[in-house]
Amino acid sequence: PRPILDMSYSRHFLDFQGSSIPSSMKKLVVTKLSQNFREAVTLRQDSPVPLPGDGDLLVRNRFVGINASDINYSAGRYDASVKPPFDIGFEGVGDVVALGLSASADYTVGQAVAYVKAGSFAEYTVVPAKQAVPLPSAKPEFLTLMVSGATAYISLKELGELSEGKKVLVTAAAGGTGQFAVQLAKKAKCHVIGTCSSDEKGGFLKSIGCDRTINYKTENVESVLRKDYPEGVDVVYESVGGKMFDLALHSLATKGRLIVIGFIAGYQNPTGLQPVKAELLPAKLLKKSASIRGFFLNHYLSEYKMALKDLLKMYESGDLVCEVDFGDTSPEGKFTGLESVFRAVDYMYMGKNIGKIVVELPHSVNSKL
């Protein structure tokens, strides 16, 4: 067994391959609050590599995940008290390259881990050992489960009341979290309808079990739902907002449930919202005994470990497709390196991705990894 060194108090340490960890690194920092990600965020070339404390891991990031809410974060919408500059990026997968003494009780240098913590858009991130998830290997597929998979799993379990034969509508179904809502609703023996923006996405959705796909660029979603589902749908997993929210609300069955997990259509607006016809809301809900529930993952962290364990088990046994989109088909090619995070965010807002958008961070030349 490799001896564990107490690195928590050392100003200079070596990683497990014997190549020194650099003293500086690249990272993305929010330097100005704006819903325009390119305006808000700066790539810093020579930030100091942080040191792990006693209970921490220093993770060299291999893959980082792009989330629609990255824009909300860079616009300062989650916590008005936080002022720039601050770190950005919510999730990463990488290797432990140094750790504190207490953290060494459960982790070793060289171990692959995933985590959810602000500050993943960096070459190295300090992660409290308690918040890390040990992985068999540093694969990008594991990253899809950390925020996107967990959001679909917990929201449908806690708020969806899914049961056999229920009709479930998933908006933006081919996206990072939509792909999991489709699969989990199918596992609950529901009839699943997914909206998407291309025939290619429709093909992907059918491949993961979607019963009816609606390409909203070529079909009228409202007409399709009225014709094919005259009684309405029982559950809507909604992440688009604006007109799609109104349409979903209108399509609810008696006692139907609409779960709001986001409203990406408005995130790039100054307010973060697109208008909805809310003045009719009380009457619509009353008429159908329907309900709307919001879901924000941070409020359900007590369920998180159990959800992740179940999702990892499903993926490893081949029961769950974790589609990753590295942007290979985007004009400038694959998302590689922190500088490509800007392109990756644009790509998501153009609605181009199938599955979860992931950026790969290649190791620098001096590393032996």
Side-chain angles (χ1 to χ4, degrees):
R2 188 188 304 283
I4 301 282
L5 301 176
D6 171 15
M7 297 176 175
S8 52
Y9 310 107
S10 161
R11 296 302 305 172
H12 175 78
F13 41 79
L14 300 176
D15 73 7
F16 65 106
Q17 295 291 341
S19 63
S20 61
I21 294 166
S23 57
S24 65
M25 65 171 185
K26 291 182 187 174
K27 73 171 177 176
L28 294 185
V29 178
V30 176
T31 48
K32 173 190 169 189
L33 296 183
S34 169
Q35 75 277 1
N36 179 333
F37 191 81
R38 287 177 182 271
E39 261 180 34
V41 179
T42 304
L43 175 61
R44 294 221 166 129
Q45 300 281 354
D46 52 359
S47 294
V49 171
L51 286 173
D54 180 56
D56 297 331
L57 312 172
L58 181 66
V59 178
R60 177 158 51 199
N61 293 314
R62 300 269 297 274
F63 302 101
V64 294
I66 304 295
N67 291 285
S69 42
D70 289 327
I71 279 192
N72 285 336
Y73 199 58
S74 64
R77 289 181 187 138
Y78 288 148
D79 185 351
S81 67
V82 180
K83 300 286 179 262
F86 55 85
D87 296 348
I88 190 167
F90 291 127
E91 53 186 345
V93 161
D95 305 301
V96 176
V97 291
L99 71 175
L101 188 58
S102 300
S104 69
D106 298 305
Y107 288 91
T108 58
V109 163
Q111 187 160 5
V113 293
Y115 64 89
V116 175
K117 179 183 178 282
S120 70
F121 291 166
E123 290 178 318
Y124 295 84
T125 304
V126 166
V127 179
K130 287 191 180 113
Q131 289 178 26
V133 178
L135 298 175
S137 60
K139 281 167 73 173
E141 285 77 10
F142 292 120
L143 194 56
T144 66
L145 303 174
M146 300 302 292
V147 171
S148 302
T151 294
Y153 184 102
I154 300 170
S155 64
L156 289 174
K157 179 173 177 282
E158 297 292 316
L159 310 177
E161 297 171 37
L162 300 184
S163 58
E164 188 170 349
K166 294 286 185 201
K167 294 185 271 297
V168 178
L169 171 66
V170 180
T171 64
T177 185
Q179 64 171 329
F180 295 111
V182 168
Q183 293 178 81
L184 295 168
K186 280 308 292 177
K187 286 186 191 311
K189 300 189 163 74
C190 296
H191 176 92
V192 183
I193 309 135
T195 71
C196 62
S197 60
S198 71
D199 291 342
E200 190 192 355
K201 290 183 179 189
F204 165 67
L205 289 173
K206 288 200 174 88
S207 77
I208 58 171
C210 199
D211 297 289
R212 173 70 160 98
T213 62
I214 308 173
N215 177 348
Y216 62 80
K217 294 276 175 78
T218 57
E219 295 179 274
N220 182 305
V221 180
E222 193 168 10
S223 307
V224 171
L225 291 173
R226 207 171 33 232
K227 178 172 160 288
D228 293 0
Y229 305 95
E231 301 288 303
V233 295
D234 302 295
V235 179
V236 182
Y237 183 87
E238 216 296 274
S239 61
V240 177
K243 290 191 177 106
M244 189 62 87
F245 172 88
D246 287 332
L247 201 149
L249 178 66
H250 189 64
S251 305
L252 283 177
T254 302
K255 296 186 186 173
R257 296 171 293 288
L258 194 159
I259 304 170
V260 176
I261 63 119
F263 27 93
I264 188 173
Y267 288 172
Q268 290 175 297
N269 296 355
T271 59
L273 292 161
Q274 269 199 340
V276 295
K277 294 176 182 160
E279 69 274 10
L280 303 174
L281 194 56
K284 283 191 171 177
L285 295 178
L286 180 68
K287 186 177 161 193
K288 294 178 173 175
S289 293
S291 62
I292 299 176
R293 298 287 300 270
F295 179 87
F296 188 48
L297 186 59
N298 290 13
H299 299 148
Y300 287 86
L301 294 180
S302 57
E303 308 293 314
Y304 186 77
K305 281 236 152 101
M306 178 276 300
L308 207 56
K309 197 173 158 189
D310 208 9
L311 287 163
L312 284 165
K313 200 163 74 187
M314 280 192 262
Y315 170 65
E316 289 181 322
S317 64
D319 282 341
L320 196 65
V321 173
C322 298
E323 189 70 16
V324 171
D325 191 334
F326 278 117
D328 293 306
T329 60
S330 67
E332 292 169 61
K334 187 176 173 177
F335 303 133
T336 307
L338 286 171
E339 42 287 332
S340 70
V341 167
F342 298 97
R343 283 201 298 121
V345 169
D346 289 343
Y347 180 76
M348 173 171 50
Y349 279 93
M350 288 189 285
K352 298 291 189 196
N353 57 301
I354 295 181
K356 173 88 181 180
I357 301 176
V358 174
V359 173
E360 183 169 7
L361 304 187
H363 292 325
S364 57
V365 181
N366 69 352
S367 167
K368 294 177 187 167
L369 263 184

